[in-house]
Amino acid sequence: MNLVRPKEPVIGRVVRSESCMAGRSASFVRHVEIDVSGTPLEGNFRVGQAFGVVPPGRDASGKLHAVRLYSIASPSWGEDGAGKVLSTTVKRVIDERKTDDPQVHDLFLGVCSNWLCDVPLEAEVAITGPSGKRFLLPSDTAAHDYVFVATGTGIAPFRGMIKELLEAPGGPCNSQIHLVLGVPYGTDLMYDDLFTSLDQAHDNFHYHTAISRPERGPRRYVDRAVVESSQIGELLQGDRTLLYMCGLKGMEEGIYRHMFDLGVVDQYLEWPDSIERDPANVGERKVRAGARCLLEVY
Ligand code: A2P
């Protein structure tokens, strides 16, 4: 961890940058690959970790920009198989900045993500890291089954983890693997071709989507998709399943309440004695994810 500190970033080069959306959409997400060969990150990152990007220029107070963290979207052996190229999933920031003054409202594009999406091939990026030590795959991947739940760009680490499980050089992992991805519109699905083809190629991999603003039919969030899948329910009842969640914090509660129906709350959550084990209390800050529940939520 932290082989390269924010004060002394090293130089990587963007070697691939392409849209990873399923269709034309109001939002823009790019899959960006960065060659880190010759830096301390080469061969020294794991899927589930993040790396840092230091955008060029200075902030409003004249200081160098602070480092921004991006989830690694490649398997631990990188995009190239040798740990020289890592990738991430970058969403363009497009927002309207409003102030108390009704006359002042302007376009907000942020500092780093749009810049990173714009970087041309072969251009340099100042990088740091890697960071993160908990949101990882287990060392014995065959000893577990997996439920991965993502909203939006929370998909990034799961792209890498699922590739690591199913495209391992020694042959695919035979464990049960479910992925649930939630996005506003069908056209927003990221890496949809990859997950669809993996689902077709591997009987043990199951790809579920939850579209929250469909043209027709009911709105669906990822927690609902988890509740409605009897296969995921059975898996969560197994004693070797790991549940990973990445994305919006709001997805946790529905899934935690579902754990009561399945009778598995104690397998995934840690309850302090002071809090009654009751579905109404799952939102309590003191209720913590246990060892089999891995979270990267914001
Ligand atoms: P919506 O925004 O329609 O309410 P993105 O990051 O690309 O916006 O995608 C996030 C996805 O997660 C959207 O489909 C969003 O739905 C959905 N979402 C928003 N709040 C929650 C929540 N509390 N639980 C699960 N999903 C949520």
Side-chain angles (χ1 to χ4, degrees), residues 91 151-153 182-184 212-213 219 221-223 248 250-251:
K91 183 173 182 175
T151 61
T153 49
V183 292
S212 59
R213 306 177 205 173
R219 296 169 59 91
Y221 276 176
V222 283
D223 40 349
L248 295 172
M251 75 175 120

Side-chain angles (χ1 to χ4, degrees), residues 203-267:
D203 288 345
N204 57 325
F205 176 62
H206 314 272
Y207 173 43
H208 312 255
T209 59
I211 308 297
S212 59
R213 306 177 205 173
E215 257 179 68
R216 295 170 216 95
R219 296 169 59 91
R220 239 154 77 100
Y221 276 176
V222 283
D223 40 349
R224 183 101 302 264
V226 168
V227 169
E228 285 173 4
S229 165
S230 54
Q231 275 184 314
I232 295 180
E234 275 171 36
L235 207 58
L236 289 172
Q237 285 170 320
D239 59 6
R240 49 173 246 160
T241 302
L242 301 179
L243 169 64
Y244 290 75
M245 287 183 251
C246 187
L248 295 172
K249 191 166 174 44
M251 75 175 120
E252 281 174 86
E253 273 195 45
I255 294 175
Y256 292 167
R257 275 198 296 276
H258 183 47
M259 289 175 179
F260 277 90
D261 299 329
L262 297 171
V264 298
V265 273
D266 289 330
Q267 299 204 37

